[in-house]
Amino acid sequence: MSTTRVREKAYTIAVTTADILDVKIFTAKGKIQGFVLSYRARIDQEWHEAYRIDTCHGYLHEQKFWRSPDPIPLKQYAGYPTQAVYEASLDNIRQNWKRYKRYLEKKVSKKKEKKDGHNKRER
Amino acid sequence: MGITKEKDEAWDAAISFLKKVGKDPDRYPDKLAVFVLADEELYKVFTKERFRILRVLKEMQFQSITLLSDFLERDKGAVDRDLKVLEGYGLIKRVKEGNRVSPSLNKEGVYFPLTGAEPSTKLKVAVR
């Protein structure tokens, strides 16, 4: 019984000095079998992952890190070829990155305010 | 408005490149750092010293940042800051081994796309 070798590609795409796409593509026989697309933003000199969409664990799901790391299944793409889902996922990030970044900035800012407030009280 | 347009073009170029990889993955290297940054931003990332770090790590292995800084004859703090920047762009990785941190290259190469979005969106310039 022959087993198909799955190859992995790992790319970091610096779109700006504050916006990066981390991409993993799993391929076999020249075709995409699975992928991980992750958008991260640099806020206050630190990189924070904002959004991820991937096919790991056998199903397509997204994670909106400004809310929680819990995976949200994307059932509307079930049955579509992985290549098409990959391209649609890229388009999704292209269309929504600004919004994801805004939400993440709010979260980071709230976290920082909470931490600063806690530090003041300790003094 | 100018900066927004540049960012839009950078995003279009990034997505366009990734779609090309998806269509013919075997044509592209396995581990790549791709930069679609504007020139002013590229110069901020790729300073002379950071290039030097990448070249040195290509040729040699260092078991700690201290050993790397000694070789480069630079302040350890400054080298560590440069490594942090390079790590942020996926170019190097820092592996903790006990109480040492060993830096090494994380990608096969760096790619600067010279083509942006699909040709139909580009202005055509007549050449006589």
Side-chain angles (χ1 to χ4, degrees):
Chain A
M1 193 164 77
S2 64
T3 50
T4 306
R5 187 176 156 236
V6 176
R7 287 179 68 172
E8 180 182 320
K9 291 197 184 306
Y11 288 5
T12 303
I13 318 288
V15 188
T16 74
T17 52
D19 303 285
I20 280 184
L21 284 173
D22 293 304
V23 176
K24 277 193 183 160
I25 302 173
F26 306 99
T27 67
K29 294 183 182 176
K31 288 193 186 308
I32 295 183
Q33 306 296 316
F35 60 87
V36 179
L37 304 177
S38 166
Y39 164 58
R40 58 185 160 101
R42 192 157 58 108
I43 300 165
D44 291 341
Q45 305 307 315
E46 293 291 330
W47 289 102
H48 301 267
E49 191 171 7
Y51 178 83
R52 188 191 303 172
I53 183 166
D54 70 73
T55 59
C56 297
H57 311 298
Y59 67 105
L60 183 74
H61 57 277
E62 61 182 2
Q63 287 161 281
K64 301 179 177 181
F65 290 100
W66 61 88
R67 272 191 215 158
S68 100
D70 295 338
I72 305 163
L74 294 169
K75 293 175 184 170
Q76 64 267 38
Y77 291 105
Y80 284 93
T82 310
Q83 172 75 33
V85 176
Y86 167 73
E87 294 196 2
S89 302
L90 284 170
D91 289 337
N92 167 50
I93 293 177
R94 170 66 184 97
Q95 280 152 29
N96 294 294
W97 72 272
K98 279 184 200 168
R99 194 161 55 87
Y100 297 161
K101 188 171 183 172
R102 222 170 36 241
Y103 297 155
L104 185 69
E105 281 167 341
K106 272 188 192 160
K107 182 189 177 182
V108 170
S109 171
K110 270 187 191 163
K111 214 173 169 182
K112 187 172 182 277
E113 276 171 20
K114 207 174 167 184
K115 191 181 174 191
D116 289 346
H118 181 72
N119 287 343
K120 273 185 193 165
R121 276 195 297 277
E122 274 191 345
R123 281 187 228 130
Chain B
M1 193 65 170
I3 294 168
T4 307
K5 191 184 170 203
E6 245 177 25
K7 274 191 182 174
D8 283 342
E9 284 172 359
W11 272 99
D12 288 340
I15 299 301
S16 173
F17 172 76
L18 287 169
K19 284 184 179 178
K20 282 183 205 166
V21 174
K23 288 188 165 102
D24 194 1
D26 290 345
R27 219 181 125 212
Y28 296 87
D30 285 343
K31 286 182 168 189
L32 210 54
V34 181
F35 288 81
V36 289
L37 307 181
D39 289 353
E40 319 80 69
E41 290 190 316
L42 263 179
Y43 304 145
K44 284 181 202 167
V45 176
F46 288 106
T47 62
K48 189 176 150 188
E49 290 298 345
R50 288 177 195 155
F51 256 126
R52 201 169 151 230
I53 289 173
L54 292 173
R55 294 221 179 276
V56 161
L57 289 179
K58 183 188 157 204
E59 303 297 334
M60 301 169 73
Q61 281 183 323
F62 295 89
Q63 288 182 334
S64 70
I65 296 174
T66 304
L67 288 170
L68 174 61
S69 333
D70 289 346
F71 182 84
L72 295 170
E73 293 179 340
R74 287 182 66 202
D75 171 67
K76 187 189 167 188
V79 170
D80 199 25
R81 282 191 294 277
D82 280 344
L83 287 172
K84 198 176 173 189
V85 169
L86 294 171
E87 188 182 29
Y89 291 104
L91 289 161
I92 65 124
K93 56 186 176 195
R94 297 191 292 176
V95 177
K96 202 161 177 191
E97 287 161 3
N99 59 355
R100 288 180 182 184
V101 174
S102 165
S104 59
L105 291 180
N106 191 38
K107 294 287 189 286
E108 291 169 33
V110 179
Y111 180 68
F112 302 98
L114 294 181
T115 56
E118 291 307 303
S120 60
T121 64
K122 281 195 217 173
L123 289 174
K124 286 181 186 166
V125 178
V127 177
R128 285 183 207 161

PDB file of all heavy atoms in Angstrom, chain B residues 82-100:
ATOM      1  N   ASP B  82      17.925  42.930  17.919  1.00  0.00           N
ATOM      2  CA  ASP B  82      17.881  42.614  16.480  1.00  0.00           C
ATOM      3  C   ASP B  82      17.308  41.213  16.247  1.00  0.00           C
ATOM      4  O   ASP B  82      16.526  40.990  15.317  1.00  0.00           O
ATOM      5  CB  ASP B  82      19.284  42.699  15.863  1.00  0.00           C
ATOM      6  CG  ASP B  82      19.702  44.125  15.573  1.00  0.00           C
ATOM      7  OD1 ASP B  82      18.823  45.021  15.564  1.00  0.00           O
ATOM      8  OD2 ASP B  82      20.904  44.358  15.332  1.00  0.00           O
ATOM      9  N   LEU B  83      17.707  40.272  17.093  1.00  0.00           N
ATOM     10  CA  LEU B  83      17.194  38.904  16.950  1.00  0.00           C
ATOM     11  C   LEU B  83      15.680  38.881  17.165  1.00  0.00           C
ATOM     12  O   LEU B  83      14.952  38.156  16.484  1.00  0.00           O
ATOM     13  CB  LEU B  83      17.881  37.965  17.955  1.00  0.00           C
ATOM     14  CG  LEU B  83      19.338  37.612  17.653  1.00  0.00           C
ATOM     15  CD1 LEU B  83      19.946  36.844  18.817  1.00  0.00           C
ATOM     16  CD2 LEU B  83      19.464  36.794  16.378  1.00  0.00           C
ATOM     17  N   LYS B  84      15.227  39.686  18.108  1.00  0.00           N
ATOM     18  CA  LYS B  84      13.786  39.735  18.395  1.00  0.00           C
ATOM     19  C   LYS B  84      13.026  40.260  17.164  1.00  0.00           C
ATOM     20  O   LYS B  84      11.972  39.738  16.802  1.00  0.00           O
ATOM     21  CB  LYS B  84      13.548  40.635  19.601  1.00  0.00           C
ATOM     22  CG  LYS B  84      12.186  40.430  20.248  1.00  0.00           C
ATOM     23  CD  LYS B  84      12.008  41.271  21.490  1.00  0.00           C
ATOM     24  CE  LYS B  84      10.551  41.136  21.982  1.00  0.00           C
ATOM     25  NZ  LYS B  84      10.220  42.069  23.041  1.00  0.00           N
ATOM     26  N   VAL B  85      13.581  41.280  16.530  1.00  0.00           N
ATOM     27  CA  VAL B  85      12.949  41.824  15.322  1.00  0.00           C
ATOM     28  C   VAL B  85      12.930  40.761  14.221  1.00  0.00           C
ATOM     29  O   VAL B  85      11.899  40.514  13.594  1.00  0.00           O
ATOM     30  CB  VAL B  85      13.694  43.086  14.830  1.00  0.00           C
ATOM     31  CG1 VAL B  85      13.213  43.501  13.453  1.00  0.00           C
ATOM     32  CG2 VAL B  85      13.509  44.228  15.825  1.00  0.00           C
ATOM     33  N   LEU B  86      14.067  40.109  14.007  1.00  0.00           N
ATOM     34  CA  LEU B  86      14.152  39.091  12.953  1.00  0.00           C
ATOM     35  C   LEU B  86      13.229  37.913  13.252  1.00  0.00           C
ATOM     36  O   LEU B  86      12.630  37.331  12.342  1.00  0.00           O
ATOM     37  CB  LEU B  86      15.602  38.608  12.803  1.00  0.00           C
ATOM     38  CG  LEU B  86      16.599  39.660  12.288  1.00  0.00           C
ATOM     39  CD1 LEU B  86      18.019  39.139  12.383  1.00  0.00           C
ATOM     40  CD2 LEU B  86      16.275  40.053  10.855  1.00  0.00           C
ATOM     41  N   GLU B  87      13.100  37.581  14.509  1.00  0.00           N
ATOM     42  CA  GLU B  87      12.196  36.501  14.904  1.00  0.00           C
ATOM     43  C   GLU B  87      10.748  36.897  14.611  1.00  0.00           C
ATOM     44  O   GLU B  87       9.953  36.082  14.130  1.00  0.00           O
ATOM     45  CB  GLU B  87      12.362  36.210  16.395  1.00  0.00           C
ATOM     46  CG  GLU B  87      11.600  34.978  16.869  1.00  0.00           C
ATOM     47  CD  GLU B  87      11.751  34.755  18.362  1.00  0.00           C
ATOM     48  OE1 GLU B  87      11.935  35.736  19.106  1.00  0.00           O
ATOM     49  OE2 GLU B  87      11.662  33.602  18.795  1.00  0.00           O
ATOM     50  N   GLY B  88      10.427  38.154  14.843  1.00  0.00           N
ATOM     51  CA  GLY B  88       9.075  38.643  14.562  1.00  0.00           C
ATOM     52  C   GLY B  88       8.698  38.489  13.099  1.00  0.00           C
ATOM     53  O   GLY B  88       7.541  38.248  12.768  1.00  0.00           O
ATOM     54  N   TYR B  89       9.681  38.609  12.225  1.00  0.00           N
ATOM     55  CA  TYR B  89       9.430  38.459  10.783  1.00  0.00           C
ATOM     56  C   TYR B  89       9.677  37.031  10.299  1.00  0.00           C
ATOM     57  O   TYR B  89       9.765  36.779   9.105  1.00  0.00           O
ATOM     58  CB  TYR B  89      10.289  39.453   9.984  1.00  0.00           C
ATOM     59  CG  TYR B  89       9.845  40.876  10.186  1.00  0.00           C
ATOM     60  CD1 TYR B  89      10.573  41.737  11.003  1.00  0.00           C
ATOM     61  CD2 TYR B  89       8.672  41.349   9.604  1.00  0.00           C
ATOM     62  CE1 TYR B  89      10.138  43.029  11.220  1.00  0.00           C
ATOM     63  CE2 TYR B  89       8.240  42.649   9.825  1.00  0.00           C
ATOM     64  CZ  TYR B  89       8.988  43.481  10.639  1.00  0.00           C
ATOM     65  OH  TYR B  89       8.561  44.767  10.859  1.00  0.00           O
ATOM     66  N   GLY B  90       9.811  36.113  11.247  1.00  0.00           N
ATOM     67  CA  GLY B  90       9.923  34.698  10.897  1.00  0.00           C
ATOM     68  C   GLY B  90      11.266  34.279  10.318  1.00  0.00           C
ATOM     69  O   GLY B  90      11.423  33.166   9.836  1.00  0.00           O
ATOM     70  N   LEU B  91      12.251  35.157  10.379  1.00  0.00           N
ATOM     71  CA  LEU B  91      13.528  34.857   9.723  1.00  0.00           C
ATOM     72  C   LEU B  91      14.425  33.983  10.582  1.00  0.00           C
ATOM     73  O   LEU B  91      15.221  33.205  10.065  1.00  0.00           O
ATOM     74  CB  LEU B  91      14.259  36.169   9.392  1.00  0.00           C
ATOM     75  CG  LEU B  91      13.603  36.941   8.263  1.00  0.00           C
ATOM     76  CD1 LEU B  91      14.050  38.386   8.283  1.00  0.00           C
ATOM     77  CD2 LEU B  91      13.928  36.333   6.919  1.00  0.00           C
ATOM     78  N   ILE B  92      14.337  34.147  11.890  1.00  0.00           N
ATOM     79  CA  ILE B  92      15.141  33.297  12.779  1.00  0.00           C
ATOM     80  C   ILE B  92      14.249  32.716  13.868  1.00  0.00           C
ATOM     81  O   ILE B  92      13.126  33.178  14.075  1.00  0.00           O
ATOM     82  CB  ILE B  92      16.324  34.073  13.421  1.00  0.00           C
ATOM     83  CG1 ILE B  92      15.795  35.163  14.341  1.00  0.00           C
ATOM     84  CG2 ILE B  92      17.280  34.635  12.391  1.00  0.00           C
ATOM     85  CD1 ILE B  92      16.326  35.046  15.751  1.00  0.00           C
ATOM     86  N   LYS B  93      14.766  31.693  14.502  1.00  0.00           N
ATOM     87  CA  LYS B  93      14.072  31.162  15.676  1.00  0.00           C
ATOM     88  C   LYS B  93      15.073  31.129  16.818  1.00  0.00           C
ATOM     89  O   LYS B  93      16.289  31.031  16.598  1.00  0.00           O
ATOM     90  CB  LYS B  93      13.506  29.766  15.417  1.00  0.00           C
ATOM     91  CG  LYS B  93      14.516  28.752  14.962  1.00  0.00           C
ATOM     92  CD  LYS B  93      13.844  27.448  14.581  1.00  0.00           C
ATOM     93  CE  LYS B  93      14.919  26.517  14.032  1.00  0.00           C
ATOM     94  NZ  LYS B  93      14.425  25.381  13.331  1.00  0.00           N
ATOM     95  N   ARG B  94      14.549  31.257  18.012  1.00  0.00           N
ATOM     96  CA  ARG B  94      15.410  31.203  19.191  1.00  0.00           C
ATOM     97  C   ARG B  94      14.946  30.011  20.012  1.00  0.00           C
ATOM     98  O   ARG B  94      13.811  29.974  20.475  1.00  0.00           O
ATOM     99  CB  ARG B  94      15.301  32.498  19.989  1.00  0.00           C
ATOM    100  CG  ARG B  94      15.788  33.701  19.203  1.00  0.00           C
ATOM    101  CD  ARG B  94      15.943  34.918  20.030  1.00  0.00           C
ATOM    102  NE  ARG B  94      14.689  35.439  20.492  1.00  0.00           N
ATOM    103  CZ  ARG B  94      14.593  36.485  21.307  1.00  0.00           C
ATOM    104  NH1 ARG B  94      15.672  37.070  21.756  1.00  0.00           N
ATOM    105  NH2 ARG B  94      13.412  36.920  21.691  1.00  0.00           N
ATOM    106  N   VAL B  95      15.864  29.040  20.157  1.00  0.00           N
ATOM    107  CA  VAL B  95      15.505  27.806  20.855  1.00  0.00           C
ATOM    108  C   VAL B  95      16.158  27.817  22.230  1.00  0.00           C
ATOM    109  O   VAL B  95      17.378  27.966  22.348  1.00  0.00           O
ATOM    110  CB  VAL B  95      15.983  26.567  20.044  1.00  0.00           C
ATOM    111  CG1 VAL B  95      15.675  25.287  20.790  1.00  0.00           C
ATOM    112  CG2 VAL B  95      15.316  26.557  18.670  1.00  0.00           C
ATOM    113  N   LYS B  96      15.317  27.636  23.241  1.00  0.00           N
ATOM    114  CA  LYS B  96      15.838  27.655  24.610  1.00  0.00           C
ATOM    115  C   LYS B  96      16.394  26.281  24.927  1.00  0.00           C
ATOM    116  O   LYS B  96      15.718  25.256  24.780  1.00  0.00           O
ATOM    117  CB  LYS B  96      14.705  28.015  25.580  1.00  0.00           C
ATOM    118  CG  LYS B  96      15.226  28.553  26.871  1.00  0.00           C
ATOM    119  CD  LYS B  96      14.176  29.320  27.651  1.00  0.00           C
ATOM    120  CE  LYS B  96      14.874  29.686  28.906  1.00  0.00           C
ATOM    121  NZ  LYS B  96      14.774  30.105  29.972  1.00  0.00           N
ATOM    122  N   GLU B  97      17.652  26.243  25.366  1.00  0.00           N
ATOM    123  CA  GLU B  97      18.264  24.977  25.768  1.00  0.00           C
ATOM    124  C   GLU B  97      18.855  25.173  27.149  1.00  0.00           C
ATOM    125  O   GLU B  97      19.944  25.714  27.304  1.00  0.00           O
ATOM    126  CB  GLU B  97      19.355  24.580  24.751  1.00  0.00           C
ATOM    127  CG  GLU B  97      18.802  24.098  23.425  1.00  0.00           C
ATOM    128  CD  GLU B  97      19.817  24.130  22.286  1.00  0.00           C
ATOM    129  OE1 GLU B  97      20.982  24.485  22.546  1.00  0.00           O
ATOM    130  OE2 GLU B  97      19.434  23.818  21.152  1.00  0.00           O
ATOM    131  N   GLY B  98      18.109  24.769  28.143  1.00  0.00           N
ATOM    132  CA  GLY B  98      18.533  25.016  29.522  1.00  0.00           C
ATOM    133  C   GLY B  98      18.422  26.496  29.804  1.00  0.00           C
ATOM    134  O   GLY B  98      17.381  27.099  29.575  1.00  0.00           O
ATOM    135  N   ASN B  99      19.522  27.115  30.242  1.00  0.00           N
ATOM    136  CA  ASN B  99      19.461  28.559  30.495  1.00  0.00           C
ATOM    137  C   ASN B  99      20.085  29.353  29.335  1.00  0.00           C
ATOM    138  O   ASN B  99      20.401  30.525  29.465  1.00  0.00           O
ATOM    139  CB  ASN B  99      20.124  28.907  31.835  1.00  0.00           C
ATOM    140  CG  ASN B  99      21.579  28.459  31.865  1.00  0.00           C
ATOM    141  OD1 ASN B  99      22.056  27.814  30.931  1.00  0.00           O
ATOM    142  ND2 ASN B  99      22.283  28.794  32.917  1.00  0.00           N
ATOM    143  N   ARG B 100      20.280  28.677  28.200  1.00  0.00           N
ATOM    144  CA  ARG B 100      20.826  29.360  27.023  1.00  0.00           C
ATOM    145  C   ARG B 100      19.757  29.466  25.947  1.00  0.00           C
ATOM    146  O   ARG B 100      18.848  28.632  25.860  1.00  0.00           O
ATOM    147  CB  ARG B 100      21.974  28.547  26.426  1.00  0.00           C
ATOM    148  CG  ARG B 100      23.236  28.564  27.243  1.00  0.00           C
ATOM    149  CD  ARG B 100      24.261  27.732  26.526  1.00  0.00           C
ATOM    150  NE  ARG B 100      25.494  27.663  27.270  1.00  0.00           N
ATOM    151  CZ  ARG B 100      26.586  27.062  26.819  1.00  0.00           C
ATOM    152  NH1 ARG B 100      26.569  26.480  25.634  1.00  0.00           N
ATOM    153  NH2 ARG B 100      27.674  27.032  27.540  1.00  0.00           N
TER     154      ARG B 100
END
